[in-house]
Every structure is written in C-alpha cells, then in structure tokens.
Amino acid sequence: MARRYDPERSRRIIDAAVAVVRERGIAGLSHRAVAAAADVPLGSTTYHFATLDDLLVAALRKVNEEWLADVERWAERYDPAVGPAGQLARWIEELFAGDRERLVLEYDLCLSALRHEAVRPVAAEWVDGMVRVLSRLVPDPAAARAVVALIDGMALQALLTGRPYDREGTRAALARIMGEDGYGGPSGTAR
C-alpha cells in the first residue's frame, strides 16, 4: 500500500498533545493517547516525535507562541493614560478572569521543565519572550524580569488558592518594582 502524504500530520500531532495535556495533565501524555486524539497511527507519533520529551517540547512551544502572540496584541493596545503599572494590573485581572483551563495548561507545560530537562530551554524562551514584550512598558531589563516573576507568582497563587484578585494591590506592587510614583510616571514626576 502506498504511503499517503500528509503535510499537516506533525501539526495535528502537536495539537493533539496539547489537547491531551489540557484534558489529562502531563501524567496523561503518552504516544498512544496523542495518536488516538490526532486520529493517526501510533507509529506516526513516534516517527515525528521519538520521545515524550519531544512531544512536550513541541506542545510547550506551540502554547508559548500562542501566549506571546496574545501578549503582543495586548501590548499594542497599551493606553499610556493608565500608566504601565495600572495597565499591567488591568491585564492581569483580565488574564485571571479568562480561561482558567488555558492557564492551567500553560503552567502545567511550563512547569514540566522542572522534571524534563529537554523542556527547560523552551520554558526559558517563554520568560525571555515575556520580558521582551513587557520591556516596551518596563524599559529596565531587571524590572521587566521582576514583573514577569511577579505575574508568574500571582498566577500560580491564583490557580492554587482561588483567592480574589486585588487590582490595586497588584498595581502598587508593580509600581514599586517599576519605580513609578503610583500615578503612571517615573518616581518624582508630577502628573
């Protein structure tokens, strides 16, 4: 029997890996589960992605690309009248009010880097991408990294505890990290 050419098979396998992790978590990821979800033969998954780490890397890279594209779109809508800390606090609130399952998926994949060394560079790409996008609002690279760390910490706490979001507390914390005077400008500037 002739082999059927399927240029989209690799992409479908990656999409299926993301769907499996979304539904079952990292522990539920297997070549068999992904093959079933992608409706491809089991051998196709191992042909395109020899190991589960290869599947994790591809899934995280796909999720990262989507996440960073969303952050880029958000950054393009930046409202200077609100100020960077206020704008970020508002965005974080939108993030937490959005698709909780998506946040769980993103952090599940990203945190898989703790146990899967092959995934670490992709997780680092995500952090660097966030810093790159946020550096438009936070020009100091160290402060931009601290903002990303604060967002990650807050997201994990929100996912783990379900506590309500405090926009003003977040804005104040961001303003301190970013050196703002609390009114959207650098410390010491009048509005």
Side-chain angles (χ1 to χ4, degrees):
M1 176 189 281
R3 184 179 260 182
R4 188 170 58 107
Y5 177 65
D6 185 356
E8 295 296 311
R9 185 167 288 189
S10 179
R11 184 193 53 75
R12 283 199 336 268
I13 292 169
I14 294 168
D15 291 345
V18 170
V20 167
V21 172
R22 179 185 287 266
E23 181 181 316
R24 305 177 191 178
I26 297 295
L29 185 68
S30 69
H31 280 98
R32 189 171 306 283
V34 171
D39 193 27
V40 299
L42 178 59
S44 287
T45 64
T46 57
Y47 173 79
H48 289 283
F49 305 96
T51 68
L52 287 179
D53 280 356
D54 293 340
L55 272 171
L56 276 172
V57 165
L60 180 56
R61 185 158 279 128
K62 176 185 177 14
V63 167
N64 283 356
E65 288 169 1
E66 291 171 357
W67 168 262
L68 288 172
D70 287 349
V71 176
E72 289 274 0
R73 283 189 289 278
W74 167 80
E76 289 169 3
R77 297 186 323 260
Y78 171 67
D79 180 1
V82 177
Q87 190 79 18
L88 280 165
R90 186 184 296 168
W91 174 66
I92 294 167
E93 184 173 37
E94 292 170 13
L95 182 68
F96 293 170
D99 184 357
R100 184 181 193 285
E101 285 185 23
R102 179 182 178 185
L103 274 178
V104 169
L105 168 70
E106 291 162 351
Y107 279 100
D108 208 1
L109 284 167
C110 196
L111 292 173
S112 72
L114 294 172
R115 297 201 182 269
H116 300 269
E117 190 172 332
V119 182
R120 288 184 193 147
V122 183
E125 288 171 13
W126 177 84
V127 171
D128 293 342
M130 282 291 293
V131 169
R132 179 183 46 76
V133 173
L134 293 182
S135 67
R136 295 180 206 157
L137 282 81
V138 187
D140 175 40
R145 285 203 178 277
V147 166
V148 171
L150 177 67
I151 292 169
D152 277 340
M154 292 181 71
L156 287 171
Q157 286 182 16
L159 290 170
L160 295 171
T161 67
R163 291 187 185 129
Y165 177 70
D166 175 9
R167 185 197 296 186
E168 180 50 33
T170 300
R171 190 213 54 76
L174 288 165
R176 283 191 296 276
I177 290 170
M178 295 161 50
E180 290 184 14
D181 62 6
Y183 298 101
S187 294
T189 63
R191 197 162 212 220

